[in-house]
Amino acid sequence: MELEKFFKKGELIPAVIQENSTGEVLMLAYMNKESLEKTLETGYTWFFSRSRQKLWNKGETSGHVQKVVSICGDCDDDTLLIKVEQTGPACHTGSKSCFFNKIK
């Protein structure tokens, strides 16, 4: 697969991470070409940290890894949906999902 098509608009692409078994959205992170390649190679999620300006493997310190089930690009090739089997909480706060701050 030609990965360059996902990075025509910029070096980073948003990746929505979804629990495969429940459909729950766990988190949103950003990927560059290298992190997407590492994800495809290893079968576990890798992202690019915008604040630290480096690659990171989800769960490398916490053990809360994300085993990739599938990766789909959207119709515009500018967002990814990654379905995973999540081990432990996805959020760094200890929450299962990063989306727990209800606004309405």
Side-chain angles (χ1 to χ4, degrees):
M1 169 185 267
E2 185 181 316
L3 300 181
E4 287 79 18
K5 71 179 183 175
F6 295 110
F7 301 97
K8 287 182 180 176
K9 295 178 183 174
E11 293 181 14
L12 297 177
I13 186 170
V16 177
I17 311 303
Q18 182 179 42
E19 175 64 60
N20 187 58
S21 63
T22 65
E24 181 177 13
V25 175
L26 300 175
M27 57 184 280
L28 173 102
Y30 290 86
M31 298 180 109
N32 63 6
K33 187 173 178 236
E34 184 181 4
S35 65
L36 180 53
E37 289 171 339
K38 287 185 81 69
T39 297
L40 291 167
E41 285 172 19
T42 65
Y44 290 87
T45 54
W46 285 79
F47 303 108
F48 184 81
S49 170
R50 296 179 300 164
S51 59
R52 294 178 284 160
Q53 291 292 299
K54 69 175 198 167
L55 292 183
W56 60 283
N57 175 232
K58 179 66 177 164
E60 67 187 329
T61 56
S62 68
H64 302 152
V65 297
Q66 296 174 334
K67 184 176 181 183
V68 175
V69 175
S70 67
I71 302 175
C72 294
D74 75 339
C75 57
D76 294 323
D77 294 328
D78 63 5
T79 304
L80 298 174
L81 174 62
I82 304 178
K83 293 185 179 184
V84 301
E85 293 174 357
Q86 176 70 45
T87 301
C91 186
H92 72 281
T93 65
S95 234
K96 177 165 178 57
S97 168
C98 293
F99 296 97
F100 57 84
N101 291 316
K102 189 166 183 166
I103 294 173
K104 181 177 177 181

